[in-house]
Amino acid sequence: MRWALVKVCVAVTAMVVVAFAVPLALVVKEMARDRAFTNAERQAAAIGPALAITTDRTELEKAVASTQAGADGQIAVRIPATESAAGVAIGQAHADQAALDATSRLGRASTVSVPGGYALLQPTAVSSGSVAVVEVYVPDADVTRGVTASWVVLGAVGIGLIIGSVAVADRLGTRMVRPAKRLADAAHDLGRGDLAVRVPEDGPSELRSAAAAFNAMAAQVNQLLANERELAADLSHRLRTPLTVLRLNAASLGDGPAGEQTRHAVAQLEREVDQIIRTARAQQSSSLSSVGCDAAEVIRERMAFWSALAEDQGRTARTAGVERPAGVPVARAELAAALDAMLGNVFRHTPEGAAFAVDVHSSEDAVIVLVSDAGPGIPDPAAALRRGQGDGGDGSTGLGLDIVRRVAESTGGDVRVGPSVLGGAEVRVWLSLRGRTAVGGGGKRGHKLARGRKARLVARA
């Protein structure tokens, strides 16, 4: 498209230049010719008064020499002989005798072509009663003087106009082609799976409309895929809670064959659900930082869900810090999945009747979620975090703390496991409100500063 536009502009500009430059060049040539002959007529007219007064050779020679053309030897005077006076010839004539006789006889000025130029023949009546002929020689150089320079200027102007049209066409073509190329590249990127690609809405109005339509389409595709993934993750996590109940109930069936089969079936079903959760989380991890939710609201909702099971098992459940909003840059489904994973671990790895609590502490830099229990605790917290990255063993999904860790790291935070004030284990989730650069962007020093802020925040809490 770009080169096609350049070719069209070159063709149109060339036609315009030719249409104007050729006639103008001919006009310039004609003007130079007219200027030369007008000057010759003026030189011939300067001899007229002298011829009207006298036919004396000496006087006429002085009159001829006083003119510019006469001084250059380009004026000749021919006075024919009469019965009372002899003929007079001054200067070198370029026209032949026949042309001179015809001009004298007809009494009309004429221009004849002679070798090297032209001769202007001007008839003038003299005192002797005859008609003298004044010849002014006009060289070809005078006829074409300034024409070549004018043609060069016209040619340069024409070439300049063509070059200017090429530059303008190239800029216009670039302005049109660049948005189109960006749109094509964005379409290829979207086809390869880059759902975050967008196109700047600039350029001609048609391309701006196309870019806006593409961006709307990409946003809609992104939203549809996000809804699908969130639905898959939500359904999977909704299954985990009844699976936990089934697992706990299966543990009370005893050691008989029916109990073993039930426990085996529950474990197998739980592994399948966890595999679905892995897939959904892997697909959704790229968009965690683009959404947010109220952590306090999510905690209230999930605690209301788990409180029924806690009541059945005689557990005391407590929450703190959920009365005021605590916004975090995490998707609602992601935070709910992390809470379900931590609370599920409490019910799975602590005896019935063990109390647990969920606390929220917030500041300008971060939100800390603490899940603590009154169970036996975790002897090796580092191993527990490593287990979250593996497959886990029997009775463990191997996924819970991994989900929590990914959610925390998506904001630039982290996860810590240690002893709780209730006597059991405590999982501390640090959710940064300043993004990845607030914690990890500055290297080790930035991480140490983040830990310092975290320590001060917990101390105030």
Side-chain angles (χ1 to χ4, degrees), residues 132-143:
V133 177
V134 178
E135 176 190 312
V136 180
Y137 174 66
V138 182
D140 287 333
D142 291 347
V143 176

Side-chain angles (χ1 to χ4, degrees), residues 366-425:
V367 171
I368 295 178
V369 178
L370 302 175
V371 177
S372 55
D373 61 67
I378 300 177
D380 190 351
L385 289 175
R386 287 197 300 271
R387 187 176 66 235
Q389 302 176 13
D391 295 332
D394 293 338
S396 173
T397 65
L399 184 66
L401 289 182
D402 191 46
I403 294 175
V404 178
R405 177 179 55 81
R406 282 203 300 268
V407 170
E409 290 179 352
S410 70
T411 67
D414 58 15
V415 178
R416 292 289 182 269
V417 177
S420 72
V421 295
L422 299 179

Side-chain angles (χ1 to χ4, degrees), residues 50 54 56 64 78 82 108 129 157 185 219 356 366 370 375:
T54 181
D56 182 66
V64 169
R78 294 292 183 270
T82 60
R108 185 171 63 246
V157 171
D185 293 341
F356 66 95
L370 302 175

Side-chain angles (χ1 to χ4, degrees), residues 332-387:
R332 183 185 187 88
E334 294 294 331
L335 184 57
L339 286 171
D340 286 344
M342 291 185 288
L343 294 175
N345 286 339
V346 171
F347 281 86
R348 184 178 296 120
H349 301 295
T350 62
E352 294 187 11
F356 66 95
V358 179
D359 299 330
V360 180
H361 307 286
S362 60
S363 70
E364 296 180 357
D365 296 333
V367 171
I368 295 178
V369 178
L370 302 175
V371 177
S372 55
D373 61 67
I378 300 177
D380 190 351
L385 289 175
R386 287 197 300 271
R387 187 176 66 235

Side-chain angles (χ1 to χ4, degrees), residues 195-244:
L195 300 180
V197 64
R198 295 296 184 270
V199 181
E201 298 178 11
D202 55 8
S205 59
E206 294 81 2
L207 291 177
R208 288 200 302 269
S209 300
F214 176 86
N215 291 338
M217 178 194 69
Q220 185 66 19
V221 170
N222 199 5
Q223 184 62 40
L224 291 175
L225 292 176
N227 292 340
E228 180 182 355
R229 294 166 183 168
E230 186 172 348
L231 178 60
D234 185 65
L235 291 176
S236 302
H237 282 289
R238 288 180 183 272
L239 289 174
R240 290 190 62 184
T241 301
L243 279 175
T244 301

Side-chain angles (χ1 to χ4, degrees), residues 15 45 66 80 82 92 110 115 125 138 150 165 187 193 218 250 263 294 313 361 390:
M15 288 189 294
S66 64
T82 60
Q92 180 182 358
S110 63
V138 182
S150 299
S165 69
R263 285 189 289 272
D294 182 4
Q313 296 186 1
H361 307 286

Side-chain angles (χ1 to χ4, degrees), residues 146-210:
V147 174
T148 301
S150 299
W151 284 6
V152 169
V153 172
L154 288 175
V157 171
I159 294 174
L161 289 175
I162 293 175
I163 294 175
S165 69
V166 169
V168 172
D170 183 71
R171 293 300 299 272
L172 291 176
T174 301
R175 185 171 178 265
M176 294 176 61
V177 171
R178 187 176 298 164
K181 187 175 183 301
R182 282 200 300 261
L183 185 59
D185 293 341
H188 288 303
D189 293 339
L190 183 63
R192 287 193 293 266
D194 184 3
L195 300 180
V197 64
R198 295 296 184 270
V199 181
E201 298 178 11
D202 55 8
S205 59
E206 294 81 2
L207 291 177
R208 288 200 302 269
S209 300

Side-chain angles (χ1 to χ4, degrees), residues 17-27 151 154:
V17 168
V18 170
F20 282 92
V22 171
L24 188 59
L26 296 177
V27 169
W151 284 6
L154 288 175

